[in-house]
């Protein structure tokens, strides 16, 4: 029921394409680099909310640890950039500054490969994916479902967050990784206020949306939705439910990890707050407000919520009240619009439904005709 | 020897606070089937109630505990009527709605009472240390331990020895049959939710002299309390007690061997592994599915 597509696929494609065009031409109207940086941040949030939608909206896995993937991706990128900061801020032989302060003598082994951009970018996607693979196999093979999956992912998030903060010598601890060099790739410099960074993020979001759409409309995607609606029935049909659930979790983690890397680029630092409980819950909120069972809806939910929040942040008193309103709004959405704001769009009549209505009318007419005859 | 005793007592002290906080949560989750993420905020409200009453009316801690129970309990009743009752059968959605509620409560306190840390006086009679079995233990912590035991006994009597408790157990076993016998299930749910919230209020009141009171103090508690409830097994009062004891002693012991952070990480990892192999918890006899 929840996954029913009222609109034909072409209407969906048009909607997705229109969204991509809007985010791509937006910089033409914005001269303020600061504003562009803010927008880029909102788009990153859109990307990570869309990632959650894959596992939550389509496969029914409420992953409360989405921030783990996001944060790990962010750290992978930050580690590579940290190793490239200008020598003044680093210690002897390119040792990061916080390690020097913490009396670390040589670069830890797992930092070593991050001298290569290629490795760092691959790691930003693969580390969260592999972790999701392990968690997914561990959890879903035992047929643990529903609330318990949420609690397990939440607990793991807390564990990883605690360890990252505690191992200050290796991770920068509470301060995270700061003083990063800008990413330089293909002759472009991706510093937080550059147009290149914005376009990189906008293109990534667009590509991820279409890729996600392709996946959820594939056979695999349909089975994922079937599992969400009735897990046992799918199992009786002979499908390997755990494999599909693990796949959804991994795909979601990969996209979230990628979003995390982009987030490091816009923020120019990585912090343990990126992989903390509040971020994870915010992602859930964005997706729920926008529409958990819609990739575009989730992305737009994130952009709208963080956008309003961001535009109010200049007036602190207003922001405080906004948080209050936000909480109330969220409860109202959960109570009365369980499919999110995007479900309002579904109510707009389109050609397809008009035709269906016409067909129904003819059907009724022919029936009455039979009765008359 | 004294070292070990000290260690056991500090673990017991952690456990008693854990139990206080998770007792309300366990009752709500076990009977109403709602994952109440605003539980930490109920605890926070209890602590603020004490601070407010002490600061403005000069009340001591003991009357405050009673008032905190009724104040937060009433709020819980209102919340159940307005929000929770619309979400029965949608467990994952209750997580979301109660989290939104938590945001509202936290922000409302921040706006009205301020974001700064508040401190609550320890009752003068209990601020000293007591010499007990060769070691000095804090009198207040002993008091918390005793009060936790009393609350546990009261809850036990309420559930297993009263008419209300009988109806409650009936509703848990089979709401439809209970309704057929004339039990007002909706009222039972509301009262249970209110009682659980009230217990959170007492927990908040009791921890307020031990820790600083701040709008976001509840966030940490709710995760801890959840682990206790899940390990103990839903719908098992005894399980919750045992699991609070195990987790408390384990946290205390591991913290002694390494540090607080690593202790917490190890305990949580243990909980994850446990849920994987026994999602019904350690002490649940029977699981209801669906």
């Amino acid at each position: 029921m929840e996954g029913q597509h009222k609109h034909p696929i072409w209407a969906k494609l048009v909607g997705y394409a229109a969204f991509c065009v809007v985010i791509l031409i937006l910089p033409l109207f914005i001269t303020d680099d600061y504003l562009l940086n803010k927008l880029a941040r909102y788009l990153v949030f859109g990307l990570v909310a869309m990632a959650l939608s894959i596992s939550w909206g389509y496969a029914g896995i409420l992953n409360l640890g989405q921030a783990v993937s996001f944060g790990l991706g962010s750290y992978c990128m930050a580690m590579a950039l940290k190793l490239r900061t200008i020598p003044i801020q680093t210690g002897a032989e390119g040792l990061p500054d916080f390690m020097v302060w913490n009396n670390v003598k040589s670069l830890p082994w797992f930092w070593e490969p991050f001298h290569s951009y290629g490795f760092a970018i691959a790691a930003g996607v693969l580390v969260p994916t592999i972790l999701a693979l392990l968690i997914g196999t561990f959890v879903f093979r035992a047929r643990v479902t529903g609330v318990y999956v949420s609690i397990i992912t939440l607990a793991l998030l807390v564990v990883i967050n605690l360890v990252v903060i505690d191992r200050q010598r290796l991770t920068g601890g509470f301060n995270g990784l700061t003083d990063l060099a800008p990413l330089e790739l293909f002759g472009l410099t991706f510093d937080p206020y550059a147009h290149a960074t914005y376009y990189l993020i906008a293109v990534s979001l667009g590509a991820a949306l279409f890729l996600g759409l392709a996946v959820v409309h594939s056979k695999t995607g349909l089975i994922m939705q079937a599992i969400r609606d009735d897990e046992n029935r799918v199992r009786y049909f002979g499908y390997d439910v755990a494999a599909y659930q693990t796949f959804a979790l991994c795909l979601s983690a990969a996209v979230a990890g990628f979003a995390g890397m982009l987030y490091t680029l816009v923020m120019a630092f990585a912090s343990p707050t990126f992989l903390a409980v509040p971020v994870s819950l915010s992602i859930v909120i964005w997706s729920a407000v926008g529409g958990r069972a819609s990739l575009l809806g989730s992305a737009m939910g994130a952009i709208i919520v963080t956008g309003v929040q961001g535009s109010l942040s200049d007036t602190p008193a207003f922001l405080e009240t906004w948080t209050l309103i936000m909480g109330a709004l969220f409860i109202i959405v959960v109570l009365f619009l369980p499919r999110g704001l995007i479900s309002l769009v579904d109510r707009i009549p389109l050609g397809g439904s008009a035709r269906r209505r016409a067909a129904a009318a003819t059907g009724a007419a022919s029936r009455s005709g039979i009765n008359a005859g | 020897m004294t070292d070990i005793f000290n260690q056991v007592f500090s673990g017991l002290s952690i456990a008693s606070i854990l139990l206080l906080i998770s007792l309300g949560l366990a009752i709500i989750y076990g009977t109403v089937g709602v994952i109440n993420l605003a539980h930490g905020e109920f605890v926070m409200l209890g602590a603020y109630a004490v601070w407010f009453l002490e600061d403005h009316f000069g009340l001591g801690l003991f009357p405050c505990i009673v008032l905190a129970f009724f104040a937060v309990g009433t709020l819980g009743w209102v919340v159940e009527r307005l929000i929770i009752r619309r979400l029965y059968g949608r467990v994952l959605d209750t997580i979301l709605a109660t989290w939104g509620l938590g945001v509202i409560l936290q922000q409302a306190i921040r706006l009205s009472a301020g974001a700064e840390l508040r401190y609550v006086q320890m009752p003068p009679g209990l601020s000293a240390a007591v010499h007990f079995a060769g070691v000095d233990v804090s009198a207040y912590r002993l008091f918390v331990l005793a009060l936790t035991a009393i609350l546990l006994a009261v809850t036990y009597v309420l559930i297993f020895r009263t008419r209300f408790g009988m109806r409650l157990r009936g509703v848990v076993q089979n709401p439809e049959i209970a309704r057929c016998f004339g039990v007002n299930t909706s009222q039972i749910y509301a009262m249970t939710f209110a009682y659980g919230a009230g217990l959170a209020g007492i927990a908040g009141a009791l921890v307020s002299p031990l820790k600083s009171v701040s709008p976001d103090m509840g966030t940490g508690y709710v995760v801890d309390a959840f682990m206790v409830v899940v390990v103990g097994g839903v719908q098992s009062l005894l399980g919750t007690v045992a699991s609070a004891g195990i987790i408390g002693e384990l946290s205390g012991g591991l913290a002694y061997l390494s540090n607080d952070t690593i202790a917490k990480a190890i305990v949580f990892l243990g909980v994850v592994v446990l849920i994987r192999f026994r999602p019904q918890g350690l002490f649940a006899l029977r699981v209801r599915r669906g």
Side-chain angles (χ1 to χ4, degrees):
Chain A
M1 181 60 205
E2 226 183 308
Q4 222 171 47
H5 304 298
K6 280 185 171 172
H7 288 171
I9 182 73
W10 64 261
K12 236 181 186 184
L13 284 171
V14 169
Y16 278 54
F19 173 79
C20 293
V21 169
V22 169
I23 59 172
L24 282 173
I25 62 170
L26 214 51
L28 301 178
F29 306 101
I30 291 168
T31 45
D32 186 4
D33 284 346
Y34 177 68
L35 188 62
L36 197 66
N37 171 266
K38 267 183 157 179
L39 277 175
R41 264 171 48 206
Y42 305 153
L43 295 189
V44 173
F45 293 143
L47 187 56
V48 72
M50 182 229 116
L52 181 70
S53 164
I54 297 174
S55 70
W56 184 28
Y58 282 93
I61 307 160
L62 176 52
N63 177 5
L64 288 181
Q66 190 75 352
V68 170
S69 309
F70 186 68
L72 287 178
S74 161
Y75 267 86
C76 283
M77 179 54 87
M79 280 161 82
L81 298 179
K82 184 78 194 168
L83 291 174
R84 301 200 176 213
T85 27
I86 28 174
I88 288 175
Q89 286 154 322
T90 58
E93 295 154 29
L95 204 60
D97 48 9
F98 70 87
M99 290 190 187
V100 179
W101 303 328
N102 283 296
N103 241 340
V104 178
K105 292 286 175 271
S106 63
L107 201 63
W109 60 269
F110 67 92
W111 273 76
E112 213 54 74
F114 282 90
H115 280 294
S116 143
Y117 272 147
F119 178 87
I121 292 170
V125 174
L126 287 179
V127 170
T129 312
I130 293 169
L131 190 65
L133 182 69
L134 293 175
I135 297 171
T137 313
F138 181 68
V139 170
F140 297 129
R141 284 285 161 219
R143 298 194 185 173
V144 172
T145 50
V147 176
Y148 293 106
V149 177
S150 304
I151 294 175
I152 286 182
T153 49
L154 183 66
L156 285 173
L157 169 66
V158 174
V159 169
I160 292 174
N161 185 37
L162 287 173
V163 171
V164 167
I165 293 176
D166 188 68
R167 302 283 100 166
Q168 190 173 5
R169 294 156 52 91
L170 306 177
T171 61
F174 194 70
N175 300 320
L177 300 173
T178 50
D179 275 328
L180 304 179
L183 175 69
E184 280 167 21
L185 218 55
F186 311 121
L188 290 167
T189 307
F190 296 98
D191 81 81
Y193 298 98
H195 274 61
T197 312
Y198 179 88
Y199 281 116
L200 173 68
I201 289 167
V203 169
S204 306
L205 178 57
L209 280 172
F210 279 103
L211 198 85
L213 202 58
V215 170
V216 298
H217 280 272
S218 68
K219 191 186 165 206
T220 308
L222 289 177
I223 296 170
M224 272 158 52
Q225 293 173 54
I227 293 172
R228 174 197 64 198
D229 293 340
D230 194 333
E231 195 182 312
N232 278 326
R233 194 168 293 185
V234 179
R235 194 168 282 131
Y236 299 151
F237 275 128
Y239 289 106
D240 186 352
V241 169
Y244 285 97
Q245 287 174 318
T246 310
F247 169 75
L249 198 68
C250 286
L251 184 64
S252 167
V255 177
F258 194 76
M261 288 201 283
L262 297 174
Y263 198 57
T264 298
L265 294 184
V266 255
M267 297 303 283
F269 68 94
S271 146
T273 55
F274 296 177
L275 41 74
V277 177
V279 173
S280 238
L281 289 170
S282 299
I283 300 170
V284 173
I285 293 234
W286 300 333
S287 180
V289 169
R292 64 187 86 159
S294 161
L295 302 173
L296 184 60
S298 295
M300 285 175 69
I303 295 167
I304 293 169
V305 171
T306 52
V308 175
Q309 226 162 348
S311 59
L312 293 178
S313 61
D314 303 327
T315 42
F318 225 54
L319 184 71
E320 301 264 284
T321 327
W322 165 250
T323 313
L324 210 60
I325 298 169
M326 189 53 230
L329 196 80
F330 182 63
I331 294 180
I332 290 168
V333 167
V334 171
L335 288 181
F336 302 110
L337 265 183
R339 296 182 57 207
L341 292 175
I342 199 83
S343 62
L344 296 176
V345 178
D346 284 343
R347 293 184 189 167
I348 302 170
L350 267 182
S353 51
R355 233 177 298 148
R356 228 175 295 143
R357 238 177 292 135
T362 9
S366 63
R367 264 199 305 280
S368 58
I370 292 165
N371 286 342
Chain B
M1 186 60 212
T2 48
D3 225 27
I4 295 171
F5 186 79
N6 236 336
Q7 203 47 51
V8 169
F9 182 76
S10 102
L12 218 57
S13 175
I14 300 175
S16 67
I17 290 172
L18 269 180
L19 180 59
L20 261 178
I21 294 163
S22 27
L23 198 57
L25 196 72
I27 288 169
I28 292 176
Y29 188 32
T31 51
V32 191
V34 165
I35 297 216
N36 178 20
L37 276 194
H39 196 75
E41 272 64 42
F42 288 164
V43 172
M44 180 270 292
L45 285 178
Y48 267 95
V50 175
W51 168 77
F52 180 79
L53 292 170
E54 195 182 87
D55 211 53
H56 289 72
F57 302 104
L59 285 180
L61 185 68
F62 304 108
C64 286
I65 291 174
V66 179
L67 287 172
F69 173 78
F70 285 107
V72 182
T74 311
L75 179 80
W77 189 81
V78 173
V79 164
E80 201 276 346
R81 292 277 108 161
L82 287 181
I83 302 172
I84 307 295
R85 64 182 326 186
R86 296 168 199 275
L87 292 172
Y88 289 131
R90 288 160 62 189
V91 184
L92 285 181
D93 283 347
T94 59
I95 297 187
L96 305 178
T98 51
W99 191 73
L101 177 71
V103 169
I104 294 179
L105 293 177
Q106 221 181 79
Q107 199 59 28
I109 288 293
R110 199 170 283 135
L111 284 174
S112 56
E116 58 266 45
L117 298 180
R118 305 287 187 183
Y119 298 94
V120 169
Q121 289 266 316
M122 205 169 269
L126 294 172
S127 51
V130 180
H131 205 66
F132 184 74
V135 283
D136 287 328
V137 291
S138 147
Y140 188 73
R141 284 183 182 272
L142 275 180
F143 166 70
V144 172
L145 205 61
L147 203 65
T148 309
I150 293 171
L151 281 174
L152 194 64
V154 168
T155 307
Y156 178 85
V157 170
L158 184 72
I159 294 182
F160 293 99
R161 294 284 181 271
T162 63
R163 277 189 77 80
F164 171 78
M166 193 171 68
R167 292 195 179 119
L168 177 80
R169 280 176 290 138
V171 170
V172 170
Q173 277 183 12
N174 193 327
E176 253 134 57
I177 302 286
R179 254 195 301 273
C180 292
F181 279 94
V183 176
N184 187 345
T185 46
S186 132
Q187 194 188 20
I188 297 277
Y189 283 149
M191 292 310 288
T192 314
F193 199 87
Y195 181 67
L199 286 180
I202 294 186
L206 282 174
V207 296
S208 63
L210 291 172
K211 314 212 161 132
S212 48
V213 178
S214 68
D216 52 4
M217 66 185 282
T219 331
Y221 288 133
V222 71
V223 181
D224 292 356
F226 252 106
M227 300 304 148
V228 171
V229 173
V230 170
V231 168
V234 183
Q235 299 170 10
S236 164
L237 202 57
L238 181 77
T240 310
V241 177
S243 117
I246 294 170
I247 290 186
E249 288 296 343
L250 216 59
S251 310
L254 288 168
Y256 177 72
L257 295 176
S258 58
N259 64 42
D260 279 347
T261 318
I262 293 303
K264 197 167 181 179
I266 295 175
V267 168
F268 274 27
L269 264 186
V271 172
V272 167
V273 174
L274 185 88
I275 297 175
R276 158 68 163 73
F277 291 103
R278 263 189 87 84
Q280 69 272 40
L282 278 181
F283 301 93
L285 299 171
R286 191 174 62 91
V287 210
R288 281 196 313 152
R289 290 192 188 277

